[in-house]
Amino acid sequence: MEQKQALFNYLLRLGDNAAILGHRLSEWCGHGPELEEDIAIINTALDLLGHARSLYTYAGEVEGKGRDEDDIAYLRIEREYRNALICELPNGHYGDTIARQFLFDQFNYLLFSELVNSTDETVAAIAAKAIKEIRYHLRRSTEWTLRLGDGTEESHNRVQQSFHDVWMYTGDLFVQDESDKAVIEAGIGPDLTLLYPVWQDKVKEVLKEATLEMPENGWMQSGSKQGRHTEHFGYILSELQYMQRAYPGCEW
Amino acid sequence: MERKDWPLWEVFVRSKAGLSHKHAGSLHAPDAEMAISNARDVYTRRNEGVSIWVVESKYIHSTQESDVESMFDPNEDKIYRHPTFYDIPDEVGHM
């Protein structure tokens, strides 16, 4: 595979992870369980949208077809989005959102900790800025996992179920294809198979402290790297892209 | 389900090194750690701070409205307590 194409795919995946999860979190705006939590979760959403902007802009430059961040964010169809499946899952109740966020943050933190040392200077620079925010996201979702897990009987039972429900989407985070291999060989991104045992240990550690049971690895969903999504994804795009589709090129 | 409100916390933010912490406002949080976290997200998101203190509001003791006269009014006519009352020799420089 051509190096440029591999890097473009790679950037698109990173950008889509941030954009789609950020969009999901933004749905909590005005609906958070507490005023303070509402503000905090939206801060995370905005951080992620910031990461997406940088990654999309650079993806557009690498591609060299004159597409900017908005073209990439708003004018692709479902199968062209490459975000990990876990990012597009519905928010559910707050425990569901926290379980999804903690598992993703832990992955994202390990990934970006490596991207800081990327041989691609732009990727390294974007990662250096993002890692500070991601470290905070992880801190927050870890704290909430501990409090819900080791909280009341009800919060414990509900968040335990949340972790069981989301678990089958965690395998998809670590699937690698040709683009990943090219990127690893060039020293641009880390080998995810090396991150997986670290991710498992960290998750296990926090779940244990939260008095939660680590779900067993059963059948895992996959397909995000080929653009195969869950049934929830089309609804995200119809909301996200409505304005640009109805009024092409509109600005405000 | 029984709903228990989170306790109220007072937030103090130091805007830059060397300055003292100033009261920024209050918020609700289940415990001290989350109070600091919430304070970061509510009161320092526009680059307002480098350090945060939180204290549960119930631990703050204050003067009473009814005491205002005896506490503060007697100071009104004691202008000699203000440093501006005295002439400062030029040699002293900036004070």
Side-chain angles (χ1 to χ4, degrees), chain A residues 6 17-18 69 87 112 119 132 137 163 199 209 211 237 245:
Chain A
N17 280 350
E69 51 178 304
C87 299
F112 274 73
T119 53
K132 294 182 193 171
H137 302 164
F163 276 99
W199 178 87
E209 198 186 333
T211 73
L237 283 198
R245 299 296 189 186

Side-chain angles (χ1 to χ4, degrees), chain B residues 79-80 82-93 95:
Chain B
I79 55 166
Y80 50 84
H82 291 271
T84 51
F85 189 77
Y86 303 95
D87 288 330
I88 297 174
D90 290 340
E91 303 85 75
V92 174
M95 260 182 90

Side-chain angles (χ1 to χ4, degrees), chain B residues 2-18:
Chain B
E2 186 193 0
R3 188 187 157 96
K4 289 186 191 149
D5 281 333
W6 290 344
L8 191 65
W9 300 75
E10 299 301 323
V11 179
F12 300 83
V13 175
R14 163 179 279 163
S15 56
K16 59 180 181 185

Side-chain angles (χ1 to χ4, degrees), chain A residues 48-67:
Chain A
L48 289 170
L49 291 182
H51 305 171
R53 291 188 60 183
S54 311
L55 291 159
Y56 283 163
T57 300
Y58 185 40
E61 285 168 21
V62 168
E63 186 189 39
K65 290 181 185 167
R67 288 205 283 180

Side-chain angles (χ1 to χ4, degrees), chain A residues 174-209:
Chain A
F174 297 94
V175 173
Q176 300 192 121
D177 68 357
E178 292 301 312
S179 296
D180 290 292
K181 280 176 194 145
V183 162
I184 294 165
E185 266 171 37
I188 295 170
D191 186 343
L192 297 178
T193 56
L194 300 178
L195 298 189
Y196 183 58
V198 186
W199 178 87
Q200 256 190 323
D201 286 349
K202 297 281 180 193
V203 169
K204 198 176 200 169
E205 200 181 298
V206 172
L207 291 187
K208 192 178 169 204
E209 198 186 333

Side-chain angles (χ1 to χ4, degrees), chain A residues 70-81:
Chain A
D70 288 336
D71 295 328
I72 293 178
Y74 293 114
L75 300 177
R76 284 178 295 152
I77 56 168
E78 199 172 347
R79 292 294 285 259
E80 292 169 327
Y81 279 82

Side-chain angles (χ1 to χ4, degrees), chain A residues 33-34 36-37 39-40 43 46-47 136 139-140 143-144 147 154, chain B residues 1 3 6 27-28 30-31 33-34 36-38 40-42 45:
Chain A
E34 294 283 340
E36 291 80 0
E37 204 48 40
I39 295 173
N43 276 351
L46 285 172
D47 287 346
Y136 184 75
R139 174 185 151 153
R140 256 198 98 82
E143 294 294 347
W144 270 118
R147 280 161 181 74
E154 175 163 359
Chain B
M1 185 178 71
R3 188 187 157 96
W6 290 344
L27 49 74
H28 290 93
D31 52 50
E33 213 160 338
M34 291 312 295
I36 288 177
S37 180
N38 287 348
R40 180 258 193 196
D41 285 316
V42 176
R45 59 204 296 263

